[in-house]
């Protein structure tokens, strides 16, 4: 009986699902899932019954079971004869089914553990449900979005702000990204996850607004770029750690310093002493001579320190007391310059003071430089400006002059910063644990000054210069983009026949007449500025009348002003009557480069390159976008420094 019952139970829900009519969508999804879940439970229950009956054959058949059998028979007849109507409520039968199941199960298990049967059912249903959901192939991310977060409302987290990175550092990547880009930490955490899942910026900006707090695409690009920079730093740091580990140079302090680095400049500063190929820094050479314990002792317990005990007459660097003191000084300076708190303090000081960048004419260039080049940088021969107020184009100009060895550049940090920094180091940060005698105090002071002058000041200069340069480069690219956008969006002059004029003195003015559909109707050369102006006016008038052309487009290159004056004079005298001629001036940057490019050769194979530029000038007014896309952006000349 148990086997037949199992068969019936397995088979019954299937027939039910196949014959079920399509109800309105809302109920349908739920009933499907419930039916599937319950059918699975039913199967499992049947199996349980079978096992238990085999174990104890003497178990009597309960009333609930006989009821169940009758119900099944009735249902079978029902499904065979009557088709279901839409008015029927499928939920009712299902509820009855479930109740009868539970009743049967409880009665069968009453001998052993009556209390556990119902919770088991619940947990099975839940488990089955989740499996069923998974089978529908619906990505869980979408589901979270549609139910938990209505469109446009910020979703603070996709599971905590802690994100595991490939290379672990002492700083948290979310926090660091948030500080650099001024974007909320939860947005940064979400963005890191979205980029990890290979979502593109357009997709994130349009369809994941609630996860990024409606950030603009430009801000997303900045976050992505900063994230890549931070990951590069982390990767390089770990490569460096492996290298130093192999060489046996990786100490605890160095490891901490490396893991604290956030920028490539910081990393370079920390790893500079350990680069191979050099004979090592002064501090390293002093450490090799065994002076490190003396330096540490000066800070920790100076009462026991005796520098005379370190003198070795026959060893270079230890032969006199002065050499020993210098070695200790180098080690201390190295410790101070690599300490994070010390560097943070000096950076804070610099933010509050007037720090300026100065440029002057290099002595070498004034002797053997090219006069023309030197004149280009006349503004920067004696130049000084606060680093907070300096313009981006000035930074680019100074850098360019420095690369050409025409200018010398330096960052000027006032002496007040140095004095305050040295006082703070001696009396606060690196104050010895015990009383220092005047001799050792002098060494400590000298060490601080040496650290500032030899190590910290150059580091600060490099930091300021690199930040100013990277900001200027970013801004120049942005400016190029803005200008190019304006240029490409210039409104076209449609439906006119145009005459393009590429002005010139010796080689004459190149003319090209193009139709409203950009076809080349005629090309010619006229010499307006060599005393034959009046004779050429006849030719121009004839061409304009022949092609019914009333718009002249003049390029803004050499001889532009004279050509403009020539046409303006003729128009004022109504020389081209009955045509009402007008003229305009257009930027011809890149026209000459385009005229000899492979694209122009394909487009106008039979034309002379000089005449191709006149055609390009005319087309730039007729359809700027279509013409300008043929030219490389760097030749269009709309940037700060191309």
């Amino acid at each position: 009986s148990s086997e037949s019952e199992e068969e019936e139970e397995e088979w019954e829900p299937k027939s039910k699902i196949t014959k079920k009519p399509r109800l309105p969508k809302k109920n349908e999804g739920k009933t499907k899932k419930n039916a599937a879940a319950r059918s699975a439970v039913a199967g499992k229950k049947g199996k349980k019954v079978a096992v238990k009956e085999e174990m104890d054959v003497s178990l009597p058949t309960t009333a609930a079971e006989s009821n169940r059998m009758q119900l099944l028979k009735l249902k079978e007849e029902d499904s065979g004869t009557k088709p279901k109507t839409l008015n029927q409520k499928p939920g009712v039968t299902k509820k009855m089914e479930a109740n009868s199941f539970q009743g049967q199960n409880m009665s069968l298990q009453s001998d052993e553990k009556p209390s556990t049967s119902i919770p088991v059912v619940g947990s099975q249903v839940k488990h089955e449900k989740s499996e069923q959901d998974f089978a529908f192939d619906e990505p869980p991310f979408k589901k979270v979005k549609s139910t938990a977060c209505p469109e446009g409302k910020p979703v603070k987290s996709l599971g905590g702000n802690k994100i595991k990175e490939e290379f672990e550092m002492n700083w948290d990547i979310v926090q660091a990204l948030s500080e650099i880009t001024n974007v909320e930490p939860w947005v940064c955490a979400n963005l890191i996850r979205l980029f990890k899942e290979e979502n593109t910026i357009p997709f994130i900006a349009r369809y994941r607004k609630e996860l990024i707090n409606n950030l603009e695409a430009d801000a997303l690009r900045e976050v992505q770029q900063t994230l890549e920079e931070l990951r590069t730093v982390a990767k390089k740091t770990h490569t460096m750690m492996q290298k130093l580990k192999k060489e046996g140079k990786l100490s605890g302090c160095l490891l901490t310093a490396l893991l604290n680095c956030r920028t490539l400049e910081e990393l370079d500063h920390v790893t500079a002493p350990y680069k191979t190929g050099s004979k090592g820094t002064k501090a390293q050479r002093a450490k090799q001579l065994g002076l490190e314990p003396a330096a540490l002792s000066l800070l920790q317990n100076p009462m026991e320190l005796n520098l005379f005990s370190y003198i070795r007459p026959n060893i270079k660097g230890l032969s006199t007391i002065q050499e020993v003191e210098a070695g200790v000084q180098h080690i201390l300076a190295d410790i101070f310059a690599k300490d994070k708190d010390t560097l943070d303090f000096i950076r804070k000081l610099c933010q509050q003071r007037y720090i300026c960048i100065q440029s002057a004419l290099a002595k070498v260039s004034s002797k053997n430089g090219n006069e023309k080049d030197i004149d280009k940088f006349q503004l920067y021969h004696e130049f000084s400006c606060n680093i907070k107020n300096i313009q981006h184009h000035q930074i680019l100009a100074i850098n360019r002059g420095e690369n050409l060895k025409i200018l010398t550049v330096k960052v000027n940090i006032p002496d007040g910063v140095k004095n305050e920094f040295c006082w703070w180091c001696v009396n606060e940060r690196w104050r010895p644990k015990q009383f220092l005698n005047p001799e050792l105090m002098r060494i400590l002071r000298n060490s601080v000054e040496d650290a500032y002058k030899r190590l910290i000041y150059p580091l600060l200069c490099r930091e300021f210069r690199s930040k100013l340069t990277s900001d200027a480069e970013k801004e120049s690219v942005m400016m190029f983009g803005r200008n190019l956008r304006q240029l490409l969006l210039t409104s076209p002059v449609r439906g006119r026949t145009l005459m393009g004029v590429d002005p010139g003195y010796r080689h004459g003015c190149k003319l090209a007449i193009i139709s409203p559909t950009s076809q080349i109707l005629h090309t010619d050369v006229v010499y307006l500025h060599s005393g034959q102006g009046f004779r050429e006016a006849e030719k121009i008038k004839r061409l304009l009348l022949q092609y019914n052309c009333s718009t002249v487009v003049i390029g803004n290159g050499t001889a532009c002003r004279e050509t403009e004056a020539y046409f303006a004079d003729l128009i004022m005298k109504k020389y081209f009557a009955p045509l009402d001629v007008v003229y305009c001036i257009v930027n011809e940057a890149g026209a000459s480069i385009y005229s000899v490019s492979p694209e122009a050769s394909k487009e106008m194979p039979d034309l002379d390159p000089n005449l191709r530029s006149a055609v390009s000038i005319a087309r730039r007014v007729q359809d700027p976008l279509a013409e300008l896309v043929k030219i490389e952006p760097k030749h269009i000349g709309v940037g700060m420094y191309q």
Side-chain angles (χ1 to χ4, degrees), residues 187-223:
V187 175
C188 291
N190 287 346
L191 274 172
I192 292 171
R193 287 194 180 87
L194 289 166
F195 288 136
K196 199 175 180 183
E197 290 161 10
E198 294 180 4
N199 292 307
T200 60
I201 284 173
F203 174 81
I204 296 169
R206 292 177 67 173
Y207 306 118
R208 291 289 176 268
K209 284 183 179 178
E210 72 284 357
L211 294 179
I212 58 162
N213 207 12
N214 299 319
L215 276 186
E216 293 291 317
D218 288 342
L220 292 183
R221 276 188 205 96
E222 192 190 336
V223 170

Side-chain angles (χ1 to χ4, degrees), residues 447-466:
S447 303
V448 171
E449 283 200 19
D450 182 43
Y452 176 81
K453 195 168 141 192
R454 190 166 55 87
L455 302 168
I456 295 173
Y457 174 72
L459 169 74
L460 292 173
C461 291
R462 284 199 302 274
E463 275 182 9
F464 289 135
R465 291 287 303 277
S466 66

Side-chain angles (χ1 to χ4, degrees), residues 58-71:
S58 64
L59 204 79
T61 315
T62 56
E65 193 176 344
S66 58
N67 285 354
R68 163 92 184 121
M69 297 294 282
Q70 281 177 353
L71 208 129

Side-chain angles (χ1 to χ4, degrees), residues 5 45-54 104-105 108:
E5 190 181 315
K45 296 266 164 52
K47 280 167 194 164
K48 262 189 192 167
V49 173
V51 170
K52 290 216 166 113
E53 281 190 30
E54 274 171 23
Q104 173 196 358
N105 211 31
L108 284 171

Side-chain angles (χ1 to χ4, degrees), residues 286 289-291 294-295 305-312 315 317-331 443:
L289 292 168
L291 290 173
L305 178 62
N306 178 14
L307 288 178
F308 288 95
S309 64
Y310 286 91
I311 295 174
R312 306 276 182 279
I315 297 175
L318 296 175
S319 54
T320 63
I321 187 71
Q322 284 81 12
E323 286 184 349
V324 172
E325 281 180 7
V328 170
Q329 193 174 304
H330 292 323
I331 293 172
I443 295 175

Side-chain angles (χ1 to χ4, degrees), residues 550-585:
S550 60
T551 311
V552 178
V553 180
I554 303 167
N556 69 347
T558 316
C560 158
R561 290 275 169 255
E562 291 81 351
T563 310
E564 180 191 3
Y566 177 83
F567 275 98
D569 189 42
L570 292 178
I571 289 167
M572 199 172 67
K573 292 174 180 168
K574 295 202 163 37
Y575 181 77
F576 301 118
L579 286 175
D580 183 16
V581 175
V582 292
Y583 76 88
C584 66
I585 292 175

